[in-house]
Amino acid sequence: MSDDSSYRSKCRIYADILRAIQTTDQAKVTYLLHEANLSYERLTHHLGKMRKLGLIENGVEGESVVKITAKGSKYLAEFRKIEEFGETFGITI
Amino acid sequence: MFYWINISNDLQILAALIAVSIAVVAFWNYLRIRSWKLLVLSIAYTMLAAYNVIPYYSWIDPNFYNEVPFDIFYIQELIEFLAFAVLAYIYYSERRARGIKITRLHWIVGGLVVGTFFSLLAYLILTVGYLTLDLGQAISWSLFVIGIPVLEIYIIVSLFSYYKGVKNKNTLIVMAGFVCLFSYYLVITFLSYLLSHVWDYDVSFVFALASALTLAGYTLFLVALLRPKGSR
């Protein structure tokens, strides 16, 4: 088994996607593919779920561009707090 | 004698309160994002709180230390051993995930430190009769009191390597806390031996000193937990 065998939790994947979107005002799917390090199928699957949860919404150009909602920003801030707690005690969330 | 032991118990109760606080925060965070590491962290700190709260019974019964069956101390040490084993498992998993390997040099240095500690402790218990235990008790007691420092050394090394990766000062503060917890055993074992057998002093204050180190360790955990966010 490889040493680098950590899988990202769903929460972390959502946070990584939201972080990537937050760095730009609106993010294209191709940009997110690279920044969130996901395959196209996995990314579209997660984006669909995140839309349903109200974390992101479509940009003016349709589904190929997404932007973060207020709920998404709040989720990211809360995740960062938990991430810092984990880092304090030596664990990666 | 009982004056110092009561102070020691007071300090350990404070340490238990801090451990419970950390366990509650970890569990609250677990409920929000369901990360197994947070759940395990919460369980480990709950066990550490239980370990520290056992001396509380000496408040309820003043003759606790005269009447208590020896088994309660086994249980207390077993709880602490399990707590550190659980923490060491989290850090082992973390190191594996980050691809940090334990090198041969680590094994040699760690082996020398642990081996020296183990040999001295075995010498004190078995040859000098330091704790006045029979052989069976001495062996099982040694397993706990040696197993716990070994796990603590592993946790300290793991936290330091984690700190080198994330450069978060809070991790370093928690690591310093574990160094304080580790020094508990050095104080209890060697200082009390030196004072009682070499200089013939009353050693009861050593228990309070050791508990103060424990509390210092937990206080550092609390400081790391409460430091303003973003002050990495």
Side-chain angles (χ1 to χ4, degrees), chain B residues 98-116:
Chain B
R98 297 172 78 87
I100 302 168
K101 288 180 182 169
I102 297 178
T103 63
R104 193 177 296 165
L105 181 69
H106 285 133
W107 281 113
I108 293 169
V109 172
L112 282 173
V113 170
V114 171
T116 309

Side-chain angles (χ1 to χ4, degrees), chain B residues 13-40:
Chain B
I13 297 300
L14 288 173
L17 286 173
I18 296 174
V20 166
S21 317
I22 295 167
V24 168
V25 175
F27 190 69
W28 171 244
N29 285 334
Y30 161 74
L31 288 179
R32 293 202 291 176
I33 65 164
R34 307 278 166 173
S35 163
W36 69 270
K37 288 178 193 169
L38 289 170
L39 179 64
V40 176

Side-chain angles (χ1 to χ4, degrees), chain A residues 1-6 11 78-80 82 84-93, chain B residues 29 32-33 37 45 90-91 94 96-98 101 162 168 170-171 174 225 229-230 232:
Chain A
M1 187 185 283
S2 161
D3 276 331
D4 193 10
S5 59
S6 66
C11 293
E78 289 299 312
F79 185 83
R80 182 62 205 146
I82 298 173
E84 277 209 31
F85 173 80
E87 270 183 16
T88 296
F89 288 92
I91 56 175
T92 305
I93 304 298
Chain B
N29 285 334
R32 293 202 291 176
I33 65 164
K37 288 178 193 169
Y45 278 92
I90 301 178
Y91 295 129
E94 194 66 43
R96 249 191 57 173
R98 297 172 78 87
K101 288 180 182 169
Y162 188 86
N168 185 336
N170 290 343
T171 315
V174 169
L225 185 69
K229 300 299 165 210
R232 294 166 53 150

Side-chain angles (χ1 to χ4, degrees), chain B residues 31-143:
Chain B
L31 288 179
R32 293 202 291 176
I33 65 164
R34 307 278 166 173
S35 163
W36 69 270
K37 288 178 193 169
L38 289 170
L39 179 64
V40 176
L41 197 72
S42 168
I43 292 168
Y45 278 92
T46 306
M47 285 199 283
L48 286 175
Y51 163 79
N52 281 301
V53 95
I54 284 178
Y56 174 74
Y57 290 105
S58 65
W59 283 0
I60 299 168
D61 177 7
N63 294 318
F64 178 78
Y65 282 98
N66 296 331
E67 294 173 354
V68 70
F70 197 73
D71 295 354
I72 193 84
F73 295 109
Y74 280 133
I75 293 167
Q76 192 185 9
E77 290 304 318
L78 180 64
I79 291 170
E80 194 187 23
F81 178 81
L82 288 174
F84 284 119
V86 164
L87 284 175
Y89 176 73
I90 301 178
Y91 295 129
Y92 166 73
S93 149
E94 194 66 43
R95 286 170 72 92
R96 249 191 57 173
R98 297 172 78 87
I100 302 168
K101 288 180 182 169
I102 297 178
T103 63
R104 193 177 296 165
L105 181 69
H106 285 133
W107 281 113
I108 293 169
V109 172
L112 282 173
V113 170
V114 171
T116 309
F117 187 80
F118 184 62
S119 309
L120 279 169
L121 195 64
Y123 170 76
L124 294 179
I125 290 174
L126 297 173
T127 313
V128 184
Y130 169 53
L131 289 177
T132 60
L133 305 175
D134 62 38
L135 186 64
Q137 285 175 329
I139 290 170
S140 51
W141 189 257
S142 305
L143 283 175

